[in-house]
């Protein structure tokens, strides 16, 4: 298996633009997690899905952030409009049982 | 509520010497505990996990951790450090289900000197 796939790996955008991050979980995994990592705040869970249904989105910073999982093999995290403080590395992870497998991350820079 | 505390933000060792990264946890039930490693500009990789089976858990790359309920600790050790072990290490706690959140520690940066 190729592992968790994220795209793009790097994204540079201007403040106010819409940003969409994509994730393909490991086939057969039924849970998917979106995290954000910054130097100041460390690793934060934004939202997670189980069987394509959002279970907990309490970590989503504000209404500018939204996440979808239309099927078992694809999820998106959208930021609209983006702000400089959204600059971070965004990780997607998937799991079947106890272990979460992380993707390589998307490094987002908002100027 | 669950939590983990990584007692050292930075640890420096010489190559070939033992590694000890300390982690204490707090949980009102039997937790699952993990150690993840993150190399620079990489994603997180699972090193090892404890899920109420053997208290001494062996992981990849020669790492192991011992679950000590009486001390609420889950320290990570390795007998002999290698230069490639330099990375950030995260102690993590969760409930028993894959639908539960992972609670990450703040991380310990391991430096290995030649």
């Amino acid at each position: 298996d190729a592992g968790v796939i994220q795209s793009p790996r790097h994204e540079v955008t201007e403040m106010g633009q819409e940003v969409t991050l994509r994730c393909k979980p490991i086939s057969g995994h039924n849970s998917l997690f979106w995290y954000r990592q910054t130097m100041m705040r460390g690793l934060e869970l934004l939202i997670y899905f189980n069987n394509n249904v959002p279970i907990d989105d309490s970590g989503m910073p504000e209404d500018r952030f939204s996440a979808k999982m239309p099927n078992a093999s694809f999820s998106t995290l959208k930021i609209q409009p983006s702000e400089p403080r959204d600059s971070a590395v965004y990780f997607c992870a998937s799991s079947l049982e106890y272990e979460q497998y992380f993707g390589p991350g998307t490094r987002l820079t908002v100027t | 509520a669950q939590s983990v505390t990584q007692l050292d933000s930075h640890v420096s060792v010489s190559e070939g010497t033992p590694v000890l990264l300390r982690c204490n946890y707090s949980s009102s039930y039997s937790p699952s505990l993990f150690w993840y490693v993150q190399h620079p500009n990489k994603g997180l990789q699972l090193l090892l996990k404890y899920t109420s089976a053997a208290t001494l858990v062996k992981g990849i790359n020669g790492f192991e951790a011992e679950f000590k309920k009486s001390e609420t600790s889950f320290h990570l050790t390795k007998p002999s450090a290698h230069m490639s072990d330099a990375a950030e290490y995260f102690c993590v706690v969760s409930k028993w289900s894959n639908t539960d959140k992972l609670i990450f520690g703040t991380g310990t940066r391991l430096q290995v000197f030649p």
Side-chain angles (χ1 to χ4, degrees):
Chain A
D1 200 314
V4 176
I5 299 173
Q6 291 186 248
S7 64
R9 293 294 310 277
H10 300 273
E11 177 80 38
V12 180
T13 191
E14 292 183 348
M15 183 174 63
Q17 297 297 306
E18 175 182 303
V19 175
T20 300
L21 311 182
R22 297 173 176 79
C23 175
K24 176 177 168 56
I26 293 172
S27 177
H29 284 191
N30 59 358
S31 291
L32 183 139
F33 306 78
W34 282 101
Y35 292 88
R36 177 172 68 177
Q37 186 177 40
T38 62
M39 289 291 291
M40 292 297 293
R41 300 174 68 91
L43 199 62
E44 305 172 275
L45 176 66
L46 300 177
I47 185 171
Y48 73 96
F49 297 84
N50 182 252
N51 293 323
N52 311 338
V53 175
I55 301 300
D56 185 346
D57 65 354
S58 61
M60 295 286 263
E62 49 198 272
D63 292 346
R64 297 185 297 107
F65 285 69
S66 62
K68 295 182 179 179
M69 191 165 187
N71 56 61
S73 59
F74 184 66
S75 177
T76 59
L77 177 68
K78 184 180 293 186
I79 308 172
Q80 182 183 20
S82 58
E83 297 182 3
R85 61 191 167 121
D86 302 330
S87 298
V89 181
Y90 291 81
F91 288 104
C92 175
S94 70
S95 73
L96 178 61
E97 293 183 347
Y98 306 104
E99 307 169 20
Q100 290 187 19
Y101 293 84
F102 283 74
T106 295
R107 183 173 296 277
L108 173 65
T109 303
V110 183
T111 61
Chain B
Q2 305 153 271
S3 68
V4 287
T5 302
Q6 292 185 243
L7 300 170
D8 307 292
S9 59
H10 290 83
V11 170
S12 297
V13 300
S14 298
E15 190 175 22
T17 64
V19 175
L20 170 64
L21 306 183
R22 298 182 294 165
C23 174
N24 286 346
Y25 71 90
S26 174
S27 179
S28 55
Y29 38 76
S30 296
S32 293
L33 291 159
F34 310 80
W35 277 96
Y36 280 83
V37 61
Q38 184 178 27
H39 288 91
N41 301 313
K42 301 288 187 183
L44 283 79
Q45 181 185 17
L46 180 67
L47 268 182
L48 50 81
K49 65 179 179 182
Y50 165 79
T51 54
S52 74
T55 56
L56 182 61
V57 181
K58 294 188 184 298
I60 61 172
N61 300 335
F63 284 94
E64 63 181 37
E66 186 172 6
F67 174 74
K68 292 187 176 181
K69 187 175 181 179
S70 60
E71 299 176 9
T72 62
S73 69
F74 190 59
H75 300 336
L76 181 70
T77 60
K78 182 173 181 178
S80 176
H82 192 272
M83 295 296 290
S84 61
D85 295 328
E88 187 94 15
Y89 291 80
F90 294 92
C91 181
V92 183
V93 65
S94 81
K95 292 183 183 178
W96 43 266
S97 160
N98 73 316
T99 58
D100 293 310
K101 299 177 185 181
L102 293 184
I103 308 298
F104 284 79
T106 51
T108 297
R109 181 163 299 277
L110 176 65
Q111 286 186 301
V112 182
F113 293 103

